[in-house]
Amino acid sequence: MSAPVVLAGHDLVERALLAATVSDTVVLVADVSAASLRWAGNSMTTNGIADSRAWTVVSIVRDGDTARVGTVSSTSADPDDVVAVVRAAEDAARTAPPASDALPLIAGDEPEAGWGDVAARSGIEVFESIVPGLARGFDGADALYGFARHTVRTLWLGTSTGVRRRTVEPTGSFEINGKRGGLLDGASAWVGTHTRDFVGLDVDGMLAELSRRLDWSARRVELPAGRYETILPPSAVADLMIDLMWSMDGRGAHEGRTALSAPGGGTRVGERLGTLGLTLYSDPAEPGLEYAPFVVAEASSDSVSVFDNGADAERVEWIDDGVISALAYPRSAAAEFGTRPTVPGDNLVMTGGTGSTLDEMVARTERGLVLTTLWYIREVDPTTMLLTGLTRDGVYLVEDGRITAEVNNFRFNESPLDLLRRSTEAGATVPTLPREWSDWFTRAAMPPLRVPDFHMSSVSAAR
């Protein structure tokens, strides 16, 4: 029996566009090659590789100034299914309500470089550089759990208006959780990082940091809920700032539905946040944190539009020197509100700190807390961007410039906007892995932040 025919990504785009019969069509094809390692109790448990394809047809039926959009996605690799998926998208478009964001599609003239190349691949060999360090860690006394993941997504985007764009996005993460003194009642600590290729990853340094955090847990102190001077390391800062960026859509702010809405109408663009002069930006060309340099939208939202597929994505400074300077606007919303289109980012970087390390910030702290990671973050009130969540895997007491004990976990209630207004110190910006959002968002570089009155709203029984 002969092997089934699998179309190359660019060929699938062209075949779907050729089958289209409606006014306009957008085709997105994503081939993902993934490799993973997982370990528990100082032993490798699983490893594997997997390849997958997901593709989407966006059909647009136009009648004068009215446009209706239908979207159908598929994971089929059978070339014979292409026409059926296209027809299903077209049928969905004919019965859809008029699109409020309707505009002409972005025009293109010729395929960009690499359009006809095959999909890039990952493989188990990507982990070769980290295995020796892990083996040394497995020989230690602490029980290590964790995983390494690497995906390479090759994305093709083509439209009936001539756009032909391709990009390759390698994304990796490496996380280790260490246990000392038992799984249920012992100490627990976490370290993690983002990487594109695992080259140069300092596993020994990460294990040393993990051991240091477990050493801090030798003494335990119970503290009540309250407001504490708190140093947030880069990972925790990333989780909170990602939530902020996800909330920065222009339409919601203009319509009074978000924390970026100004009292009395309009938006908070131009408002200063605190005194530190921090800058928060997304940039598809940021070294080590690169992402697709064009709009990829399977569906429209307040932040993106299917009609903008293929448009250039550029650097956006969401906060510039402490001042809110941009919100996300698709082209249609930008025209409606008299501003420029702004594309949400797939990385997030904060700069403008003093350059101090977290250890140096701790050394200047008379009494306070260091919390290493956050989890189960949920929005409580979108109009203030109030978030709640839990601390996890290490909250530590600082006394006279030294970490002296582990303390209990807490539930927190905080707004990222208010944190920026109240923060009194930011340290050196370093690449980091946002632990809570790492399944969806891994590309971040953040400084540690000092908050004089971080709100630990209640004590958590979690260990």
Side-chain angles (χ1 to χ4, degrees):
M1 181 180 295
S2 60
V5 175
V6 177
L7 294 173
H10 62 283
D11 286 335
L12 175 53
V13 171
E14 301 296 356
R15 182 172 294 204
L17 290 173
L18 187 63
T21 63
V22 297
S23 307
D24 284 310
T25 305
V26 179
V27 182
L28 304 163
V29 177
D31 281 1
V32 177
S33 179
S36 63
L37 293 179
R38 190 172 294 271
W39 53 94
N42 294 5
S43 297
M44 288 290 181
T45 57
T46 58
N47 66 77
I49 57 174
D51 294 325
S52 62
R53 166 173 287 176
W55 53 287
T56 299
V57 177
V58 180
S59 297
I60 301 169
V61 175
R62 298 185 187 271
D63 182 10
D65 293 332
T66 300
R68 302 174 189 273
V69 178
T71 301
V72 172
S73 296
S74 176
T75 58
S76 171
D78 188 341
D80 292 337
D81 289 341
V82 172
V83 172
V85 172
V86 172
R87 293 292 173 267
E90 294 177 343
D91 290 343
R94 293 186 180 98
T95 59
S100 60
D101 57 334
L103 283 175
L105 292 180
I106 301 295
D109 48 14
E110 61 183 30
E112 64 183 16
W115 170 254
D117 292 350
V118 299
R121 298 290 303 278
S122 182
I124 291 297
E125 64 277 5
V126 75
F127 302 124
E128 288 178 354
S129 63
I130 67 171
V131 170
L134 278 173
R136 288 189 288 272
F138 292 166
D139 288 338
D142 297 324
L144 303 182
Y145 300 78
F147 53 87
R149 294 181 294 197
H150 188 252
T151 64
V152 180
R153 184 176 82 147
T154 306
L155 179 69
W156 292 267
L157 187 156
T159 72
S160 54
T161 52
V163 171
R164 298 292 187 276
R165 306 201 72 167
R166 176 185 180 274
T167 191
V168 177
E169 293 179 326
T171 302
S173 61
F174 180 67
E175 303 184 43
I176 310 177
N177 185 263
K179 308 289 187 185
R180 182 179 295 176
L183 286 176
L184 297 180
D185 299 321
S188 180
W190 175 91
V191 292
T193 188
H194 164 268
T195 177
R196 285 173 63 86
D197 53 18
F198 290 85
V199 174
L201 198 65
D202 184 8
V203 177
D204 290 328
M206 294 177 69
L207 289 170
E209 176 63 19
L210 191 70
S211 179
R212 183 172 78 137
R213 295 181 181 186
L214 291 170
D215 288 344
W216 292 339
S217 301
R219 173 174 174 250
R220 183 171 171 85
V221 173
E222 300 292 328
L223 292 179
R227 291 187 176 271
Y228 293 89
E229 179 167 329
T230 301
I231 299 174
L232 302 171
S235 176
V237 175
D239 276 323
L240 295 169
M241 293 304 115
I242 290 166
D243 248 311
L244 170 59
M245 186 187 71
W246 283 344
S247 301
M248 297 183 78
D249 64 273
R251 178 173 295 281
H254 280 280
E255 294 178 352
R257 296 184 279 111
T258 76
L260 279 303
S261 305
T267 74
R268 292 187 182 274
V269 169
E271 178 180 314
R272 177 166 291 280
L273 300 174
T275 60
L276 296 183
L278 299 173
T279 294
L280 186 71
Y281 68 88
S282 300
D283 186 348
E286 183 72 14
L289 303 176
E290 297 91 342
Y291 62 90
F294 52 87
V295 174
V296 180
E298 295 182 359
S300 293
S301 68
D302 285 348
S303 298
V304 296
S305 169
V306 295
F307 295 92
D308 294 351
N309 270 302
D312 289 336
E314 299 174 342
R315 174 175 169 135
V316 181
E317 293 183 347
W318 307 104
I319 299 171
D320 184 13
D321 193 23
V323 176
I324 300 173
S325 59
L327 300 174
Y329 294 93
R331 286 185 300 150
S332 57
E336 180 179 348
F337 296 113
T339 187
R340 66 183 182 88
T342 310
V343 180
D346 200 25
N347 67 20
L348 198 59
V349 181
M350 179 183 285
T351 59
T354 62
S356 296
T357 65
L358 186 142
D359 285 351
E360 290 168 341
M361 293 172 67
V362 167
R364 294 192 291 271
T365 304
E366 182 177 349
R367 182 177 173 84
L369 300 177
V370 173
L371 65 86
T372 51
T373 63
L374 305 175
W375 72 301
Y376 210 69
I377 300 172
R378 298 294 183 268
E379 188 174 64
V380 176
D381 182 1
T383 63
T384 61
M385 209 178 298
L386 180 65
L387 306 177
T388 191
L390 300 171
T391 65
R392 185 179 188 182
D393 289 320
V395 182
Y396 304 104
L397 177 64
V398 181
E399 297 176 298
D400 299 323
R402 294 188 308 111
I403 293 178
T404 61
E406 179 190 30
V407 306
N408 45 276
N409 280 304
F410 297 95
R411 174 171 291 280
F412 70 88
N413 286 329
E414 280 290 0
S415 162
L417 281 172
D418 284 342
L419 288 178
L420 293 177
R421 293 182 179 112
R422 291 161 24 225
S423 294
T424 56
E425 183 182 4
T429 297
V430 295
T432 190
L433 181 69
R435 188 180 187 187
E436 171 75 342
W437 303 126
S438 61
D439 284 345
W440 302 276
F441 198 113
T442 63
R443 304 177 183 94
M446 294 283 152
L449 278 183
R450 184 190 301 275
V451 182
D453 53 355
F454 194 87
H455 186 201
M456 304 297 190
S457 57
S458 63
V459 171
S460 169
R463 284 287 291 164

